[in-house]
Protein backbone atom coordinates (compact mmCIF):
# COMPACT_ATOMS: atom_id res chain seq x y z
CA UNK A 1 0.00 0.00 0.00
CA UNK A 2 1.21 3.42 -0.93
CA UNK A 3 -0.27 6.70 0.25
CA UNK A 4 1.57 9.99 -0.14
CA UNK A 5 -0.16 13.21 0.90
CA UNK A 6 1.41 16.41 -0.35
CA UNK A 7 -0.02 19.61 1.14
CA UNK A 8 1.57 21.77 -1.53
CA UNK A 9 0.10 19.92 -4.49
CA UNK A 10 1.23 22.64 -6.89
CA UNK A 11 4.79 21.34 -6.52
CA UNK A 12 3.84 18.07 -8.18
CA UNK A 13 1.96 19.92 -10.91
CA UNK A 14 5.06 22.03 -11.59
CA UNK A 15 7.35 18.98 -11.58
CA UNK A 16 5.25 17.30 -14.25
CA UNK A 17 5.04 20.43 -16.37
CA UNK A 18 8.84 20.64 -16.27
CA UNK A 19 9.56 17.10 -17.46
CA UNK A 20 6.62 15.96 -19.57
CA UNK A 21 8.04 17.26 -22.83
CA UNK A 22 11.52 15.88 -22.18
CA UNK A 23 10.58 12.37 -21.08
CA UNK A 24 7.67 10.43 -22.55
CA UNK A 25 7.28 7.70 -19.96
CA UNK A 26 9.07 6.84 -16.75
CA UNK A 27 9.02 4.73 -13.63
CA UNK A 28 8.30 6.61 -10.43
CA UNK A 29 10.02 4.80 -7.57
CA UNK A 30 8.74 4.97 -4.05
CA UNK A 31 10.71 3.87 -1.01
CA UNK A 32 11.25 5.00 2.59
CA UNK A 33 13.53 7.70 1.18
CA UNK A 34 10.82 9.31 -0.87
CA UNK A 35 9.23 9.57 -4.27
CA UNK A 36 11.80 9.62 -7.06
CA UNK A 37 12.32 9.26 -10.74
CA UNK A 38 15.27 8.83 -13.07
CA UNK A 39 14.68 8.92 -16.80
CA UNK A 40 16.38 9.80 -20.05
CA UNK A 41 14.93 11.51 -23.08
CA UNK A 42 14.35 9.25 -26.08
CA UNK A 43 17.69 10.10 -27.69
CA UNK A 44 19.67 9.53 -24.46
CA UNK A 45 21.18 13.00 -24.55
CA UNK A 46 19.59 14.24 -21.33
CA UNK A 47 18.67 12.63 -18.03
CA UNK A 48 16.34 13.88 -15.35
CA UNK A 49 16.60 12.88 -11.69
CA UNK A 50 13.82 13.88 -9.31
CA UNK A 51 13.66 13.38 -5.56
CA UNK A 52 10.80 14.37 -3.28
CA UNK A 53 11.90 13.26 0.20
CA UNK A 54 9.44 11.43 2.41
CA UNK A 55 9.81 14.09 5.15
CA UNK A 56 8.35 16.66 2.77
CA UNK A 57 5.01 14.85 2.63
CA UNK A 58 2.38 15.46 5.29
CA UNK A 59 1.67 11.72 5.27
CA UNK A 60 4.01 9.17 3.72
CA UNK A 61 3.13 5.50 3.74
CA UNK A 62 5.08 3.16 1.50
CA UNK A 63 4.90 -0.42 2.81
CA UNK A 64 7.29 -1.80 0.24
CA UNK A 65 9.46 -0.38 -2.52
CA UNK A 66 7.30 0.13 -5.56
CA UNK A 67 7.98 1.24 -9.10
CA UNK A 68 5.12 2.73 -11.06
CA UNK A 69 5.40 3.17 -14.81
CA UNK A 70 3.53 6.23 -16.05
CA UNK A 71 3.08 8.08 -19.30
CA UNK A 72 4.04 11.58 -18.27
CA UNK A 73 1.70 13.52 -20.57
CA UNK A 74 -1.21 11.53 -19.13
CA UNK A 75 -0.05 12.14 -15.57
CA UNK A 76 0.39 15.84 -16.33
CA UNK A 77 -3.10 15.94 -17.83
CA UNK A 78 -4.59 14.50 -14.65
CA UNK A 79 -2.59 16.80 -12.38
CA UNK A 80 -3.75 19.79 -14.40
CA UNK A 81 -7.20 18.99 -13.03
CA UNK A 82 -5.95 19.75 -9.50
CA UNK A 83 -6.26 23.32 -8.30
CA UNK A 84 -3.07 25.17 -7.45
CA UNK A 85 -3.99 25.24 -3.76
CA UNK A 86 -5.18 21.64 -3.66
CA UNK A 87 -3.69 18.93 -1.48
CA UNK A 88 -2.67 15.98 -3.67
CA UNK A 89 -2.59 12.41 -2.43
CA UNK A 90 -1.03 9.62 -4.53
CA UNK A 91 -2.45 6.20 -3.74
CA UNK A 92 -1.66 2.74 -5.08
CA UNK A 93 -2.09 -0.87 -3.96
CA UNK A 94 0.84 -3.28 -4.02
CA UNK A 95 0.77 -5.20 -7.27
CA UNK A 96 -2.06 -3.09 -8.64
CA UNK A 97 -2.10 -1.73 -12.17
CA UNK A 98 -3.48 1.71 -11.40
CA UNK A 99 -2.53 4.79 -9.41
CA UNK A 100 -5.04 7.22 -7.93
CA UNK A 101 -4.49 10.94 -7.59
CA UNK A 102 -6.79 12.50 -5.05
CA UNK A 103 -7.26 16.27 -5.03
CA UNK A 104 -8.68 18.04 -1.98
CA UNK A 105 -9.56 21.71 -2.09
CA UNK A 106 -8.05 23.70 0.81
CA UNK A 107 -11.38 23.96 2.68
CA UNK A 108 -12.26 20.32 1.96
CA UNK A 109 -15.44 21.19 0.07
CA UNK A 110 -14.33 19.40 -3.10
CA UNK A 111 -12.64 16.03 -3.31
CA UNK A 112 -11.75 14.45 -6.63
CA UNK A 113 -10.30 11.05 -7.49
CA UNK A 114 -8.49 10.46 -10.75
CA UNK A 115 -7.40 6.90 -11.43
CA UNK A 116 -4.73 6.31 -14.05
CA UNK A 117 -3.58 3.06 -15.62
CA UNK A 118 0.03 2.14 -14.95
CA UNK A 119 2.28 0.69 -17.62
CA UNK A 120 5.27 -1.63 -17.65
CA UNK A 121 8.38 0.25 -18.61
CA UNK A 122 11.79 -1.34 -19.12
CA UNK A 123 13.98 1.50 -18.04
CA UNK A 124 17.70 1.53 -17.51
CA UNK A 125 18.79 2.92 -14.17
CA UNK A 126 22.12 4.68 -14.43
CA UNK A 127 24.62 5.19 -11.65
CA UNK A 128 25.49 8.85 -11.30
CA UNK A 129 28.86 9.07 -9.56
CA UNK A 130 29.72 11.87 -7.17
CA UNK A 131 31.92 14.23 -9.12
CA UNK A 132 34.10 17.23 -8.42
CA UNK A 133 33.00 20.01 -10.71
CA UNK A 134 35.45 22.55 -12.13
CA UNK A 135 32.90 25.32 -11.83
CA UNK A 136 29.55 25.80 -10.11
CA UNK A 137 27.36 28.77 -11.02
CA UNK A 138 24.37 29.79 -8.90
CA UNK A 139 22.08 32.34 -10.46
CA UNK A 140 18.45 33.44 -10.52
CA UNK A 141 16.51 30.77 -12.39
CA UNK A 142 14.53 33.41 -14.28
CA UNK A 143 17.79 34.99 -15.51
CA UNK A 144 19.06 31.63 -16.76
CA UNK A 145 15.73 30.98 -18.51
CA UNK A 146 15.89 34.39 -20.16
CA UNK A 147 19.44 33.78 -21.41
CA UNK A 148 18.57 30.38 -22.88
CA UNK A 149 15.46 31.79 -24.57
CA UNK A 150 17.31 34.81 -25.98
CA UNK A 151 20.25 32.78 -27.29
CA UNK A 152 18.00 30.22 -28.96
CA UNK A 153 16.63 32.97 -31.20
CA UNK A 154 20.17 33.30 -32.62
CA UNK A 155 21.66 29.81 -32.57
CA UNK A 156 21.16 26.13 -31.74
CA UNK A 157 24.03 25.62 -29.32
CA UNK A 158 25.39 27.48 -26.32
CA UNK A 159 28.99 27.58 -25.21
CA UNK A 160 29.12 28.05 -21.45
CA UNK A 161 32.53 29.29 -20.32
CA UNK A 162 33.52 30.02 -16.76
CA UNK A 163 36.63 32.12 -16.16
CA UNK A 164 37.68 34.47 -13.40
CA UNK A 165 35.81 37.18 -15.34
CA UNK A 166 32.49 35.40 -14.82
CA UNK A 167 30.27 33.03 -16.74
CA UNK A 168 29.80 33.60 -20.46
CA UNK A 169 26.98 32.18 -22.57
CA UNK A 170 27.70 32.37 -26.31
CA UNK A 171 25.99 31.28 -29.47
CA UNK A 172 26.21 31.82 -33.19
CA UNK A 173 23.78 31.38 -36.02
CA UNK A 174 23.05 32.42 -39.59
CA UNK A 175 22.19 35.99 -38.62
CA UNK A 176 25.09 36.61 -36.25
CA UNK A 177 26.49 35.91 -32.83
CA UNK A 178 25.61 36.63 -29.21
CA UNK A 179 27.58 36.70 -25.96
CA UNK A 180 26.10 37.22 -22.52
CA UNK A 181 28.50 37.60 -19.62
CA UNK A 182 27.29 37.39 -16.01
CA UNK A 183 29.69 38.50 -13.33
CA UNK A 184 29.66 37.35 -9.74
CA UNK A 185 27.29 39.59 -7.85
CA UNK A 186 26.98 38.39 -4.28
CA UNK A 187 26.20 41.76 -2.66
CA UNK A 188 22.62 42.16 -3.83
CA UNK A 189 19.77 42.95 -1.43
CA UNK A 190 18.00 39.64 -1.94
CA UNK A 191 20.04 36.40 -1.84
CA UNK A 192 17.94 34.93 -4.66
CA UNK A 193 19.16 37.70 -6.98
CA UNK A 194 22.83 36.82 -6.45
CA UNK A 195 25.12 35.29 -9.03
CA UNK A 196 27.76 33.21 -7.28
CA UNK A 197 30.54 31.52 -9.18
CA UNK A 198 32.75 28.91 -7.56
CA UNK A 199 35.57 28.17 -9.97
CA UNK A 200 38.33 25.65 -9.34
CA UNK A 201 39.60 25.99 -12.89
CA UNK A 202 38.29 27.56 -16.09
CA UNK A 203 35.93 25.38 -18.09
CA UNK A 204 34.18 25.74 -21.43
CA UNK A 205 31.57 23.35 -22.79
CA UNK A 206 29.06 23.31 -25.65
CA UNK A 207 25.44 22.22 -25.27
CA UNK A 208 22.30 21.99 -27.37
CA UNK A 209 20.04 24.96 -26.50
CA UNK A 210 16.91 22.95 -27.22
CA UNK A 211 17.54 20.86 -24.11
CA UNK A 212 18.59 23.82 -21.95
CA UNK A 213 15.34 25.54 -22.85
CA UNK A 214 13.42 22.43 -21.93
CA UNK A 215 15.11 22.33 -18.50
CA UNK A 216 14.07 25.91 -17.81
CA UNK A 217 10.45 24.74 -17.66
CA UNK A 218 11.39 23.93 -14.04
CA UNK A 219 11.91 27.65 -13.34
CA UNK A 220 8.61 27.99 -11.38
CA UNK A 221 9.95 25.41 -8.88
CA UNK A 222 12.89 27.46 -7.61
CA UNK A 223 14.21 31.02 -7.59
CA UNK A 224 17.78 29.80 -7.94
CA UNK A 225 19.33 27.41 -10.44
CA UNK A 226 22.70 25.74 -9.95
CA UNK A 227 24.77 24.86 -13.01
CA UNK A 228 27.69 22.48 -12.37
CA UNK A 229 30.29 22.15 -15.11
CA UNK A 230 33.23 19.88 -15.68
CA UNK A 231 34.97 18.95 -18.90
CA UNK A 232 34.17 15.40 -19.99
CA UNK A 233 31.02 15.30 -17.83
CA UNK A 234 27.38 16.12 -18.48
CA UNK A 235 26.38 19.53 -17.11
CA UNK A 236 24.01 19.40 -14.12
CA UNK A 237 21.23 21.98 -14.03
CA UNK A 238 19.62 21.75 -10.61
CA UNK A 239 16.44 23.28 -9.23
CA UNK A 240 15.92 22.71 -5.51
CA UNK A 241 12.33 21.95 -4.58
CA UNK A 242 11.47 23.84 -1.37
CA UNK A 243 12.38 21.74 1.68
CA UNK A 244 11.65 18.55 -0.24
CA UNK A 245 14.36 17.64 -2.67
CA UNK A 246 15.42 18.52 -6.16
CA UNK A 247 15.03 18.12 -9.86
CA UNK A 248 18.35 17.70 -11.66
CA UNK A 249 18.81 17.71 -15.38
CA UNK A 250 21.97 16.20 -16.85
CA UNK A 251 22.92 17.08 -20.40
CA UNK A 252 25.72 15.46 -22.39
CA UNK A 253 27.99 18.06 -24.00
CA UNK A 254 28.64 18.40 -27.69
CA UNK A 255 32.10 17.06 -28.44
CA UNK A 256 34.47 18.31 -31.13
CA UNK A 257 35.17 15.52 -33.61
CA UNK B 1 30.66 20.50 -36.36
CA UNK B 2 30.58 19.21 -32.79
CA UNK B 3 28.97 15.83 -32.22
CA UNK B 4 26.25 15.41 -29.63
CA UNK B 5 27.41 13.26 -26.71
CA UNK B 6 25.30 10.51 -25.16
CA UNK B 7 24.45 10.27 -21.46
CA UNK B 8 25.13 6.53 -21.47
CA UNK B 9 28.74 7.07 -22.40
CA UNK B 10 29.17 8.99 -19.12
CA UNK B 11 26.94 7.11 -16.68
CA UNK B 12 26.84 3.33 -16.58
CA UNK B 13 23.87 1.06 -16.03
CA UNK B 14 23.45 -0.25 -12.51
Amino acid sequence: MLELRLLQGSLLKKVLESIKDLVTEANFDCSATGFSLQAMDSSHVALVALLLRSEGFEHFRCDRNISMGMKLVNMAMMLKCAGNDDIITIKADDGGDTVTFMFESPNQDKIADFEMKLMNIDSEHLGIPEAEYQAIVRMPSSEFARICKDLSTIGDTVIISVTKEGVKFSTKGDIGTANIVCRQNATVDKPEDAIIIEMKEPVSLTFALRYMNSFTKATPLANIVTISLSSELPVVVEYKIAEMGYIRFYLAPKIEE
Amino acid sequence: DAKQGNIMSFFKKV
Side-chain angles (χ1 to χ4, degrees):
Chain A
M1 171 96 187
L2 173 142
E3 205 168 87
L4 319 178
R5 190 165 191 261
L6 181 62
L7 294 183
Q8 211 180 333
S10 59
L11 285 182
L12 195 61
K13 286 163 67 80
K14 288 175 187 168
V15 164
L16 261 292
E17 286 307 306
S18 72
I19 58 177
K20 73 174 169 54
D21 297 327
L22 184 68
V23 176
T24 317
E25 51 198 39
N27 283 317
F28 282 86
D29 299 313
C30 197
S31 70
T33 312
F35 192 60
S36 65
L37 167 149
Q38 190 201 82
M40 281 183 284
D41 77 301
S42 59
S43 51
H44 295 181
V45 170
L47 178 142
V48 54
L50 164 77
L51 174 64
L52 299 174
R53 288 186 200 92
S54 50
E55 305 87 76
F57 290 84
E58 185 259 344
H59 170 72
F60 191 94
R61 178 178 170 186
C62 177
D63 295 346
R64 63 182 69 185
N65 292 0
I66 179 170
S67 191
M68 298 182 288
M70 302 191 210
K71 204 170 183 112
L72 297 192
V73 284
N74 293 353
M75 185 179 175
M77 234 177 325
M78 290 203 164
L79 293 179
K80 268 195 172 170
C81 301
N84 280 330
D85 301 326
D86 281 3
I87 298 163
I88 298 182
T89 303
I90 304 168
K91 291 195 275 191
D93 290 322
D94 294 333
D97 58 359
T98 61
V99 59
T100 298
F101 302 107
M102 189 172 90
F103 312 141
E104 297 167 66
S105 65
N107 58 2
Q108 306 282 310
D109 59 356
K110 181 179 166 191
I111 294 170
D113 279 283
F114 285 69
E115 190 183 80
M116 190 177 83
K117 290 174 191 154
L118 294 174
M119 57 196 295
N120 286 320
I121 298 168
D122 285 328
S123 69
E124 285 142 338
H125 206 84
L126 304 184
I128 302 169
E130 284 289 315
E132 282 269 311
Y133 286 91
Q134 287 164 286
I136 299 174
V137 177
R138 287 181 186 81
M139 65 191 297
S141 59
S142 55
E143 186 60 56
F144 178 62
R146 174 74 197 264
I147 290 170
C148 292
K149 183 168 159 274
D150 287 350
L151 292 186
S152 60
T153 63
I154 312 291
D156 297 329
T157 60
V158 57
I159 302 171
I160 306 180
S161 310
V162 183
T163 63
K164 60 179 173 35
E165 307 301 325
V167 55
K168 183 167 83 169
F169 302 87
S170 313
T171 193
K172 63 178 179 199
D174 294 341
I175 63 164
T177 63
N179 295 291
I180 300 170
V181 178
C182 297
R183 294 204 175 84
Q184 169 139 314
N185 176 15
T187 54
V188 288
D189 292 341
K190 289 187 278 181
E192 63 262 34
D193 290 340
I195 296 176
I196 296 166
I197 300 167
E198 286 171 31
M199 189 192 77
K200 292 200 175 79
E201 49 192 306
V203 60
S204 182
L205 287 159
T206 305
F207 301 100
L209 270 170
R210 185 165 70 86
Y211 287 94
M212 286 292 182
N213 266 314
S214 176
F215 303 163
T216 62
K217 289 179 182 161
T219 303
L221 281 166
N223 290 327
I224 295 169
V225 64
T226 305
I227 305 157
S228 303
L229 296 146
S230 206
S231 26
E232 314 300 323
L233 271 181
V235 62
V236 192
V237 178
E238 182 186 56
Y239 297 85
K240 289 235 189 305
I241 301 172
E243 317 286 313
M244 284 204 80
Y246 56 77
I247 185 158
R248 291 178 186 150
F249 298 98
Y250 296 83
L251 176 60
K254 290 193 161 228
I255 298 154
E256 287 300 330
E257 285 189 283
Chain B
D1 257 6
K3 183 173 170 259
Q4 176 61 60
N6 186 308
I7 282 286
M8 295 182 78
S9 61
F10 296 97
F11 301 147
K12 300 298 167 207
K13 282 187 219 175
V14 289

